[in-house]
Each structure stands twice: as structure tokens, then as C-alpha cells.
Amino acid sequence: MKTLNIVERIEGEAKLVCNWEDEKITDAQIQFLNFRGFEYILKDKPALDALVYTPRICGICGQAHLKATAQALENIYESVNEPLYITDKAKLLREIGLNIEIIDSHIKWFYLFIMPDIAKLSKDEKYLKYEAIKGESWRKGTYAASESIKALAVFAGQWPHTSYMLPGGVMSDPTLFDIMTMQNYMDQTLHFIEKELIGDEIENYFNFNNISDFDSLNGALSDFIKLCLENDFHNLGKSYNSHIVLSKNYLFESGRIEIKNRQSVDLSLVKEEDINSFKMNEPRRDNEYTWAKTALYNDKPYETGPLSRALISNRKLIKNMHKEYNDSVLTRVMARMDELIYLVFITKKLIKQVDISQDSFIPPKLSLKDIGTATGISAVEAARGSLLHKVTLENSIIKNYDVITPSVWNLGPGINEKYGIAQKAIIGANSLEKAYIILRSFDVCSVCTTH
Amino acid sequence: MRQHKPKIVWLQAITCNGNTHSLLSSNPSRFELLLNSFNFFYHPSITTENSLEDVLNLKEIDFLLLEGAVTSNKQFYQISDNSINDLLKKVSKKAKYIISVGSCASYGGIHAKFEQNSDIKGLQDILNVWELKKLKQPIINLTGCPVHPEWILQTLFTLKEFGKIGLDMQGRPKDIYFGLAHHGCTRNEYFEWKIEAKSFGHKEGCLFYEEGCRGPMTHSNCNRILWNDVNTKTRAGMPCIGCTEFDFPRDNMLETKKNIGIPSEVPLGINKRAYLTITGVAKTFKIDRLNKKLIE
Ligand code: SF4
Ligand code: SF4
């Protein structure tokens, strides 16, 4: 039997087409039918305008695109042996900005998308607090997210869609009081996380070794774990268990893991395939069913995102959970929340390290107009995983702009008899509700996926 | 007696979801008031109870909000198998108020630059007003990329309370768009005395002369209300890119187009020759205070 269902409440819309046998999903297609053509839009635009365009690829991870654009343009300077000097202050303000955006995204994803859905699987009234719009926890989650993102507006002006990073540094020049205000907002986020999410102090949390440490607690994570165990999510949602992280920062390390050994990555081995994807200006073939392409590393599919980052960076709790539950929904969601907790903690520290006496921006001596033809590449860690930008300029005009988003790794179609990451994870689920939650565990963003 | 809570239906077309995230970022107490005062009946990414099917079955919608540009081209874009245009034509007939949220919904915005689909427009360009019998006031354009959360709240609450709001020639609420983004910018004094920012990355100096700031030509009140009371782009150091105007996005947004060293566009409503004269005069003042670092 075949069914077709529309998945809402992701960023945008997706369709899930499932084959069922004996009440289990035996095959699944995830279809993204909407396409905006950013790579086409960017063609022939002035290079610096990309700083305004690419954040608008996605309303929730615009800072990741902004950072990727700024760094890809800086990479162009490197490619012609004129590397720009970026001060620590500017580097920190960029990383802090991106972290805050990820914090906001993770809080919203958990409280707006994951918990309302998973709580619905239980009849217990105590989970009504997670109900969308009405539920107390849902509301608290949106409040916490909106307060957190204010820390970014202090030095970026607003959010979403600010373009305060540019090749050579950042546009803003915060005062010490601005830095303090940012700290204050992060402290509020930390307080929320301790009280509502963990139900314990963060110092204690850093000593946690396994999910049993949540037994006596009363935070949302304890509820989530209980609901997972009740509904088999510690067994559901497993994919290939091979992970990739393309870039590193203060919290994340880059690399890839299959089974156990961590290996380094080489960006030139990343490629995008479109065998089963729609193509521009070509009649559609039977096998083509989505606008999403397929990202591969050395011709193999890899999962990207918080779980991959936690494993490659060796974060203890998630490592231990992974030993027991592999890449299940339980581990994947917990990895994202673990990342949230670490990010808040580390971002607070980074804010304190900003030395306001340094320059924010050092103007490049060479104009992009004087460079002729050159290509730049960059990778950054966005909320949903590794993001890659590759731009080719000709006298500062964009000739080609290639974006590979995290969602393309996780949600793109499989090729050559191999399922895509999320596709494989869904197969085996015994209800549509569960299939949705498995799909959601990847933090689906359809606008990103097709861009 | 329980008060009637007006129904809000929020639909999305070709969008980045930026306005949704802008709304979700509103000040918590304001957002709570919104949720308590209105019936947020449908939003594709937040509501769980109602489906698009339920929206289609509604007899009347108090506030229909659209985020994103529209297109009839199903090859590139569709919502639950419908073309966006068909869906909106159906749903808009039920609405008492229609609000285009963001520059994409108003004019096509950034998405209209996707030339391979030549049919990307703003909502006002596909609806036939004569068919919108329930409509109590012309379609409202809340332009901006994205709109400020406060603009959405103020518009909804004002309509709920007073039933009508004044609109400018482009269908934008006058209360928001009567002035310029320039009003309230902390760099205004530098603007007056023609002191340009040394480069990006400084608190000091105006971004009009080199960095492309469109504050003096862009209608909005960003610098008066601030983004959630916190800050604005120009205050922080990023030039205004004119995202509330119909011609957004333009080319070379981060630099000022000049003719013989003079910005080729001058502030709205000012005679160019007069502007040049004032500039010349202003520049003769050497104001020490404004040429120094603000914090030494
Ligand atoms: S107007 Fe801007 S923020 Fe709004 S949907 Fe369009 S691109 Fe996104
Ligand atoms: S930076 Fe822009 S908005 Fe601010 S004073 Fe200068 S021109 Fe006006």
C-alpha cells in the first residue's frame, strides 16, 4: 500500500510518500516540491551583495549563510595570495553571532516542533503543557528563544537578516556595556535552560553520563526521554551511523566517523548529485521526485548535524548514549539539546573574551574588482549541520554560486540503490506519527533543502 | 461574557520564513498578549490543531496574513497540490482584512529576482479587489525584509480596536511608513555635518557617503521604535539597505553610488543643488568633537 502525506510545521512544506507492508514502512520518499533558485538569483550580482542575498536563503539560519559568504569571499583573497587579516574581536563577534542564532534555532525546534508532536503520543495530561500555542512550556520556549536572539541584535542591529559580517571583519563596534548586555541575555538563556530544560544546574549536567541521570529530574529533557522510551524512539530512526563535520570552531571539531575511527575531511571530495532531483529547463523523468539534491563525500552518504558534531568532538553524554542507542531519534534529539547547553555556556565565555579595543574591520587593500577570475570556498557549522559555499567571481561579479546546505546531506534523495540519510531512518517505522517524528529529528528545513 | 477573538490565518508562499521568525522573536509580553487576544487559527509552521483543509472550510477569516511572494507556476511552487495563486484567490474571499507581511508578499521582493520563473509577484497583483466582498479596507502592505515584529502586532491590534488604519499610496500603514529610516539614527549628527564613517566597523560617522546607507530615502520607523527595543542596523553599523521599498533588493547595496565624489542620490525631497551647497558649507566646520573617537 502506498500513502502520501504532507508534512507541515517544518520550515516550509514537504511530502512523505510511504510504502507499507504489514503495518511497517518499507520504502519512503521525502519530496520537496518548492524551489526558489537562489543560486540562479545570485548569478551576475555584485559580489558584496551576496552578503545581503544569502542570509535570505533561510529565515532561521541566515547568520550561517552570512558567515559562509564572508569567508568564501575572504578565501578569494587567499587564493590570490592577498589574505585579509581578521582581528580576534571580529572573529569572536562572528562566532558569537552564529552561536546565538543556533541557540535560538535549537530552542524553537525543541519546544515548537519536537515536544508538541511527541507529547501527543501520550494520553497523560501532564504533557498538555507542551501543546502548541496554549501550553505553558510551548510559550516559555518561544519566550526564551526571543530573549536569546536579542543578544545578537545588540551588535548586529536586528535579526533575522542582518549583514553585519563582511570580508575584513564586522561592521559593528560594541561598547563594554553592549558586551555586558549580551552577557545578561545569555545569562537569562542559561537560567531558562537550567530551570526548564534540564531541571538542574549546568555544572551538574556536565557530569551526567547517561540518561539515567535524568531520572530524578523534572525538566523537559526528562519528559522527552520518558516519552521516547515509551514509544520506542530509542530504537527508531537509525540511519547509516556515518557522520561528517566540515568545519570547526570553539566547540566543534571537523572530521568524519564511520563506526569508530575519526578521519579528517577534504572539502574537494564533497560533491552534489542530482540523479533523482528535478532539473532546471529539462523535462522531468520518472525517477525525479524532489528539488533537493544529494550531497556525498567520496561518493558516500553521511549524516551531518548536532549528533555528528557531538560524536566527532567527543562529548561525553552523547558518546555514551550513542554506544547504547546508536543514531536513534533519542540520541539525535538529545545531541541537539546537549549542543544547545554547551553553546550557551561557551558563548557566554566567548562574549567575555571580546577585546573592544581591537579593530572591528580592516579594509582590504585590494578591491575584488581588481582580482579578475577567482574561486573561493568556505564551510561553517549551521544549526542543522555543515554548510558549504563556493563562489566564482569575475572582476567582482558573481559568475557562479554553489550552496550545499546541511539539509541536502540529510534529506536529499538516495541514489544508486542507496537510500538517503533520513529516508533510511524512516524505513521500519510502524505509524505515520512516528515517521514524522523521525523526519523531524533531523530538524527539517525545506527552504534550506531546496534553496 | 467571553470576548470574540478574531481569527488569524497566516499562509506562506515563496518565502524564507523570515517574517515568521521575526514574529516569534517579538517581545515576550507582547507576544503573549497577541496569543491571548487573537485566535491564531492557522500557521503552517506553528499551529498543531488546524490544517489547511480547515482553513478552506472556514466561512470567514478576520485577518488573513500572507508571508512570501506568489506564483501561479506549480512547477516551482505549490501548497498541498494547489498553485499559490489559486489557493489565495479562494481564501482571500473569506477575509475581512488582508495583510501582506514582508516585501516578498507585497512586491515579490528578493524572490522575484528568480528570472527562470517569470511569474513571481506580490499578493496585490493577483487579487481582484472587486471579488473581495468581505474586505473592510484595501490590502495592507507591511513591507520590510523582514518586518519588525512590532509592526505586525501594532497593525493587528489597531485594526481590532479601531477597524481602519490610514494607508499611504503603496498600501502601507502611514503610522509606520510616514517617516524615514534615517529618523532616530544615532549617526544623524554626523549626517548633518557631512562626516562620513572612516570605514565599516566604527561607532562614529554616517554611512550615507560611502557605505550605501539608504536611511534618508527609505520609509520606515526602524530607528524610532528599534528592533524589539534593542537596536537597529544603522545604529549598530550596518547601512540601511532600503528593504521596505518596492525596489529592494537593488545592486551594490553596500556602497554609495557617486558622481564626481558626490552621492548620486540625495535625501528625499531635497533639491540636489541645494544639498551640494549645504554640504560644502557644513564641511567647512571642523567640529573636533565629531572627528574624535567617541570613547577614547
Ligand atoms: S521579505 Fe525578506 S524576510 Fe520576508 S520572506 Fe522575503 S526574503 Fe524573507
Ligand atoms: S547612517 Fe544612514 S540612517 Fe544613519 S544618519 Fe547616516 S544616512 Fe541616516
Side-chain angles (χ1 to χ4, degrees):
Chain A
M1 189 185 69
K2 219 174 187 174
T3 62
L4 194 156
N5 296 83
I6 287 161
V7 196
E8 291 183 275
R9 281 172 304 114
I10 53 176
E11 301 286 321
E13 191 186 78
K15 277 185 188 164
L16 186 60
V17 183
C18 300
N19 266 326
W20 297 82
E21 254 167 56
D22 303 330
E23 289 169 24
K24 270 204 165 143
I25 295 178
T26 52
D27 196 359
Q29 270 187 2
I30 307 157
Q31 305 182 342
F32 294 96
L33 302 179
N34 293 338
F35 183 68
R36 297 164 304 148
F38 265 89
E39 288 158 338
Y40 295 88
I41 291 176
L42 282 158
K43 270 203 187 108
D44 296 324
K45 299 284 184 297
L48 289 185
D49 283 353
L51 299 165
V52 175
Y53 278 93
T54 68
R56 288 167 170 85
I57 289 177
C58 178
I60 194 156
C61 57
Q63 297 302 294
H65 286 283
L66 174 63
K67 194 160 183 275
T69 298
Q71 289 179 358
L73 295 176
E74 279 159 4
N75 186 241
I76 287 202
Y77 282 97
E78 277 161 43
S79 75
V80 294
N81 250 329
E82 288 280 347
L84 303 184
Y85 178 72
I86 319 292
T87 61
D88 284 342
K89 175 189 179 185
K91 280 188 198 151
L92 280 165
L93 287 174
R94 287 178 183 185
E95 180 153 342
I96 292 164
L98 177 53
N99 285 356
I100 296 169
E101 177 174 88
I102 298 178
I103 289 165
D104 172 86
S105 179
H106 284 358
I107 297 175
K108 280 189 204 148
W109 171 77
F110 184 76
Y111 283 93
L112 266 61
F113 303 136
I114 289 290
M115 285 313 276
D117 271 12
I118 197 164
K120 267 199 290 190
L121 297 176
S122 166
K123 296 213 162 53
D124 196 332
E125 283 199 359
K126 77 173 197 197
Y127 297 124
L128 281 178
K129 63 178 179 191
Y130 295 109
E131 199 185 342
I133 297 197
K134 295 190 198 117
E136 197 192 331
S137 290
W138 186 93
R139 291 194 173 193
K140 282 186 182 157
T142 63
Y143 304 164
S146 75
E147 288 293 287
S148 311
I149 202 74
K150 286 182 177 174
L152 175 57
V154 170
F155 60 102
Q158 65 169 70
W159 185 87
H161 298 349
T162 158
S163 303
Y164 76 100
M165 309 177 202
L166 82 168
V170 295
M171 296 180 183
S172 50
D173 180 24
T175 64
L176 190 60
F177 276 22
D178 289 336
I179 301 284
M180 196 57 241
T181 308
M182 288 151 67
Q183 288 272 23
N184 286 161
Y185 281 124
M186 276 299 105
D187 273 327
Q188 259 173 273
T189 314
L190 184 65
H191 180 70
F192 166 81
I193 279 173
E194 291 186 326
K195 189 155 175 271
E196 301 292 332
L197 187 72
I198 312 174
D200 201 348
E201 283 167 23
I202 202 163
E203 280 77 14
N204 295 337
Y205 174 83
F206 289 145
N207 293 322
F208 287 7
N209 282 309
N210 226 315
I211 54 168
S212 57
D213 293 310
F214 291 90
D215 285 352
S216 58
L217 302 180
N218 210 0
L221 286 180
S222 305
D223 287 342
F224 171 74
I225 292 168
K226 267 182 228 131
L227 287 163
C228 269
L229 298 177
E230 273 168 37
N231 292 288
D232 208 29
F233 284 118
H234 53 311
N235 292 315
L236 287 170
K238 293 179 185 171
S239 190
Y240 294 107
N241 214 357
S242 38
H243 300 272
I244 199 160
V245 178
L246 294 181
S247 74
K248 58 178 187 197
N249 61 21
Y250 286 91
L251 182 61
F252 312 134
E253 292 170 37
S254 75
R256 66 198 165 90
I257 287 189
E258 284 162 75
I259 311 166
K260 263 207 165 81
N261 300 328
R262 175 175 147 196
Q263 287 161 308
S264 61
V265 288
D266 168 1
L267 293 188
S268 69
L269 293 177
V270 174
K271 73 168 179 206
E272 233 179 5
E273 288 278 6
D274 61 0
I275 297 176
N276 294 322
S277 323
F278 301 138
K279 291 159 198 72
M280 196 67 111
N281 308 323
E282 273 180 45
R284 290 183 182 176
R285 292 188 197 90
D286 284 347
N287 60 305
E288 299 170 354
Y289 65 86
T290 177
W291 276 111
K293 292 182 186 168
T294 310
L296 299 171
Y297 183 88
N298 211 0
D299 291 323
K300 277 191 272 184
Y302 282 88
E303 175 168 346
T304 183
L307 174 58
S308 313
R309 293 195 284 243
L311 296 177
I312 288 166
S313 308
N314 242 320
R315 292 208 311 273
K316 185 177 61 182
L317 173 64
I318 303 306
K319 262 274 189 279
N320 292 343
M321 281 182 67
H322 182 256
K323 269 187 211 132
E324 216 165 322
Y325 308 112
N326 294 311
D327 50 344
S328 60
V329 169
L330 173 66
T331 326
R332 195 174 288 121
V333 174
M334 286 299 288
R336 200 171 230 101
M337 292 301 100
D338 184 68
E339 179 171 298
L340 165 66
I341 296 164
Y342 274 91
L343 272 180
V344 173
F345 185 76
I346 220 162
T347 303
K348 265 194 66 179
K349 286 195 172 162
L350 296 180
I351 293 172
K352 195 153 188 200
Q353 284 173 26
V354 175
D355 175 357
I356 55 164
S357 71
Q358 292 176 357
D359 282 331
S360 296
F361 171 71
I362 301 176
K365 288 192 202 71
L366 194 68
S367 159
L368 286 167
K369 292 192 181 91
D370 303 327
I371 292 182
T373 305
T375 296
I377 187 164
S378 67
V380 306
E381 291 308 306
R384 292 162 181 79
S386 301
L387 167 68
L388 200 94
H389 279 203
K390 193 171 165 195
V391 58
T392 300
L393 303 182
E394 215 178 280
N395 304 322
S396 94
I397 299 297
I398 297 167
K399 284 299 145 204
N400 200 48
Y401 208 120
D402 195 14
V403 175
I404 303 183
T405 62
S407 309
V408 174
W409 290 91
N410 291 340
L411 295 148
I415 53 171
N416 305 339
E417 267 89 67
K418 263 209 152 178
Y419 290 121
I421 300 287
Q423 210 179 359
K424 179 160 163 56
I426 287 170
I427 293 169
N430 60 5
S431 77
L432 198 59
E433 284 69 29
K434 289 186 179 172
Y436 280 167
I437 291 171
I438 296 170
L439 186 57
R440 265 187 218 298
S441 74
F442 291 94
D443 201 351
V444 182
C445 175
S446 92
V447 295
C448 253
T449 313
T450 53
H451 52 275
Chain B
M1 200 183 83
R2 260 189 77 212
Q3 231 198 331
H4 163 75
K5 287 192 187 173
K7 270 195 193 72
I8 297 178
V9 168
W10 178 303
L11 297 178
Q12 289 178 323
I14 312 178
T15 177
C16 64
N17 297 356
N19 297 291
T20 290
H21 287 288
S22 184
L23 178 65
L24 288 172
S25 305
S26 44
N27 278 331
S29 60
R30 304 280 292 147
F31 191 56
E32 169 124 63
L33 192 68
L34 176 83
L35 296 181
N36 293 339
S37 312
F38 293 83
N39 168 5
F40 219 119
F41 187 82
Y42 181 79
H43 183 299
S45 51
I46 45 188
T47 321
T48 51
E49 266 170 32
N50 304 309
S51 64
L52 192 58
E53 198 57 41
D54 299 327
V55 172
L56 290 165
N57 289 330
L58 281 177
K59 283 222 165 58
E60 191 168 81
I61 296 168
D62 296 286
F63 296 98
L64 174 66
L65 275 59
L66 176 75
E67 167 179 23
V70 298
T71 179
S72 58
N73 188 337
K74 279 176 74 176
Q75 186 198 345
F76 291 118
Y77 228 90
Q78 47 179 276
I79 301 173
S80 303
D81 290 332
N82 295 293
S83 85
I84 301 174
N85 290 8
D86 287 346
L87 185 78
L88 281 164
K89 281 181 188 158
K90 267 186 231 158
V91 178
S92 59
K93 293 202 180 91
K94 305 166 189 278
K96 290 196 203 161
Y97 297 97
I98 297 177
I99 306 176
S100 296
V101 183
S103 297
C104 297
S106 305
Y107 309 119
I110 206 162
H111 301 302
K113 300 263 161 176
F114 181 46
E115 287 164 6
Q116 284 75 0
N117 179 2
S118 53
D119 181 44
I120 299 180
K121 297 183 174 129
L123 180 61
Q124 61 195 0
D125 299 327
I126 63 144
L127 295 182
N128 184 348
V129 238
W130 307 114
E131 289 176 11
L132 308 176
K133 301 238 158 50
K134 294 202 154 108
L135 208 61
K136 295 200 164 171
Q137 114 143 57
I139 297 168
I140 298 164
N141 289 328
L142 280 183
T143 63
C145 187
V147 297
H148 281 260
E150 198 53 25
W151 296 347
I152 304 174
L153 287 155
Q154 287 173 331
T155 305
L156 287 171
F157 276 110
T158 309
L159 288 172
K160 178 171 181 269
E161 207 57 37
F162 297 99
K164 257 198 163 23
I165 51 178
L167 302 178
D168 70 9
M169 304 275 285
Q170 305 202 35
R172 304 178 294 189
K174 283 186 187 155
D175 276 85
I176 301 171
Y177 301 92
F178 69 83
L180 302 174
H182 182 59
H183 299 157
C185 178
T186 46
R187 297 166 192 269
N188 271 340
E189 210 184 1
Y190 295 99
F191 176 84
E192 279 171 36
W193 301 105
K194 320 296 166 213
I195 297 171
E196 56 208 55
K198 230 169 71 203
S199 71
F200 285 112
H202 295 281
K203 279 185 277 298
E204 301 82 5
C206 170
L207 308 165
F208 177 70
Y209 303 97
E210 294 291 337
E211 286 79 13
C213 189
R214 304 280 301 174
M217 301 88 144
T218 302
H219 294 89
S220 83
N221 63 9
C222 311
N223 267 308
R224 269 177 286 127
I225 65 160
L226 308 186
W227 183 85
N228 281 324
D229 308 326
V230 180
N231 206 358
T232 64
K233 290 191 297 237
T234 64
R235 287 184 175 198
M238 186 194 152
C240 166
I241 48 174
C243 75
T244 54
E245 298 297 342
F246 68 93
D247 58 352
F248 173 79
R250 298 167 358 269
D251 276 355
N252 294 309
M253 285 173 276
L254 301 177
E255 60 187 69
T256 305
K257 208 170 147 218
K258 284 188 282 197
N259 272 334
I260 14 170
I262 298 143
S264 48
E265 280 182 71
V266 298
L268 265 190
I270 297 180
N271 172 291
K272 199 161 182 185
R273 183 179 291 228
Y275 185 77
L276 290 185
T277 315
I278 306 179
T279 306
V281 177
K283 281 202 163 172
T284 61
F285 291 86
K286 291 270 170 286
I287 308 165
D288 216 23
R289 180 172 56 88
L290 295 179
N291 284 301
K292 280 208 306 225
K293 278 230 148 260
L294 285 169
I295 303 179
E296 297 272 11

